[in-house]
Amino acid sequence: MSTSFPSFGTHSLSDWEKAANKSAPHGDIAQLNWHTPDGITVKPLYTAQDLHGLNLTNTLPGFAPFLRGPQATMYAVRPWTIRQYAGFSTAEESNAFYRKALAAGGQGVSVAFDLATHRGYDSDHPRVMGDVGKAGVAIDSVEDMKILFDQIPLDQVSVSMTMNGAVLPVLAGYIIAAEEQGVSQAQLSGTIQNDILKEFMVRNTYIYPPEPSMRIIGDIIAYTAEHMPKFNSISISGYHMQEAGANQALELALTLADGQEYVKTAMAKGLDVDAFAGRLSFFWAIGMNFYLEIAKMRAARLLWCRIMQGVGAQNPKSWMLRTHCQTSGWSLTAQDPYNNIVRTTIEAMAAVFGGTQSLHTNSFDEAIALPTEFSARIARNTQLIIQEETHIPHVIDPWAGSYMMEKLTQDMADEAWKIIEEVQAMGGMTKAVGSGWAKLKIEAAAADKQARIDSGQDVIVGVNKYTLATEDTVEARDIDNVKVRESQIERLKRIKSQRNSQAVLAALDALTEAAQKNTGNLLALTVEAMRLRATVGEVSDALEKVFGRHRADTQKVSGVYAAAYDDGSHEGDTMAYWEQLKADIAAFADKQGRRPRVMISKLGQDGHDRGAKVVATAFADLGFDVDIGPLFQTPEECARQAIENDVHAVGVSTLAAGHKTLVPAIIAELKKQGGEGIIVFVGGVIPKQDYEMLYASGVKGIYGPGTPIPVSAKDVLTQIQLALAQAQ
């Protein structure tokens, strides 16, 4: 039996356009084009004509320009490494989690440190009362590191550490913990993030200013090149840029420009580029923009090869871009949170199709609190299912030759290269960061994204469309911050009482002198100090005497959020709500003789300021007077500034679980300093079960992830009016 088919390929593109125009909006096929925030136009149909002039389709995996992957066989021989990024308050609890994860199929350890450690403070420092153990594991000394890796064979298990500010004492502590486990430095494998430039743009867990921070990076690259040949000395991170609001092209461009700057820094120290470039790695965020994320990773390898050949690298291993990926934390929603399992799965597949070397999948409850063991198991099993059940790993770069993917890869590379050339024209990323240009670019993209969500242009299922009438409560992990801090302080006292204090002081003085005279290798000197049981805080203080602590400017973008409403593309309830709110704020100003004034504040050591900056921008665009408090304020400092600036309200933005300690403290301080008429509202990652406690402490409004900013602004305005009425 035979079946005959009509011949294919006899129709032209114009034939398709005629057919498509019949069903396209307004009879115009161009209406189906999607214009991405990156400046890329994505068409509904791609053909061979789109590949005309491109030279991407003749490449092979494992060979320059590595478009199809850095290894010849990729996952067909060895799948990506499954890592789960985690740190739970104490070294003991984190160690238990790592060991369980490794036994259940995890293939590497990825450490999340608490914010006190990131910022170079010991747990007994008064500025970190609300931060110890809250968003990761507290590490004060080698003794904590030894507990963290107890019964984990460091000669067999690779360790990734997300650390930038206190990178010297943390890396040194890991080296010594391994030594005392019987593992030499040459046997250690893994990665230290050590990417300080992005901290000044987005994450803000820096300690020292840019110039001395770059010196530290150079010293670490030099030390590891000599002593730790299997260890990646830097993980150049775009992840936090996308989490802070950057689109894919901006994340790609700024990350590669950071990498270029680090390479030049190491070469300026006299290092041969081929001696260290093979141990550089990258770190990408993978969000819900499925096609563009795959194209971004393919374009990244293409452009890095171009950059490294441009600086004179001769070894093909120096041209390869190797990367770790993590699914987006920002895309996770507190509303209908089980949807996040689907989001993470889609993002994980994009990372795999893009050719990642290792992957962390976020847990579905991370928009609410630190993950539970239950949610972490689902996240880990997501990767195991992709590896073991789907057969996806059997094919190397299955998107190769796709008309759409090859064109998107080139478009992504072209858009990113334009930005890289703009950075080069400024004199490189250190200058682009120092001027504030890079940070403002990201903040503008974040404000634009939030406005598109709040106005309904971008759909988030369960948040601004298909919402539930009632939300089920999800179990959330709760950390007893006071108990953790007391435990850490007790261990610190014990260490200090048992060590040779005179030897420690001499080692710390040697560090200070090397910083002052620009001599020696700072990591080598830190290893000596930590071996003698100097603490993370003491090492940081020894360098701070010379380098100082960096203070960031509190700039904000303006007009970007409002543009999404004012472009004439919105009608109906959304636009009417926006215009009515602006009118209400104007009426308030007429009646009171001044506009409603709010201060947006970050308390404690939480430097993640995307939410704070977006809220400040949106409130200002609506007509509020907006002050932004400096990062890392104590409740006392925040209350003083709020009273001095005569604000009506303080908005506390929190992502690091310090709200139970810090928010009641700011309310108490306002009353203590005579500002009891100033209302307090809170936004960010706050479990529903904490709402009652916060309201009982005096909070007037709580706005979790997914709350449209105009809705929160309306409520803040109402609360200010009520407070003024009660005061009369």
Side-chain angles (χ1 to χ4, degrees), residues 14-26:
S14 62
D15 291 332
W16 174 81
E17 289 173 344
K18 289 175 185 176
N21 278 330
K22 292 179 181 178
S23 58
H26 311 295

Side-chain angles (χ1 to χ4, degrees), residues 264-303:
K264 290 179 178 177
T265 297
M267 291 174 70
K269 291 183 74 70
L271 292 176
D272 176 3
V273 64
D274 287 317
F276 67 85
R279 303 312 307 169
L280 303 179
S281 69
F282 286 78
F283 176 25
W284 305 115
I286 305 295
M288 287 297 289
N289 204 327
F290 185 75
Y291 296 135
L292 288 191
E293 291 292 6
I294 299 169
K296 176 188 78 182
M297 294 178 68
R298 300 174 89 245
R301 291 190 289 270
L302 185 76
L303 294 181

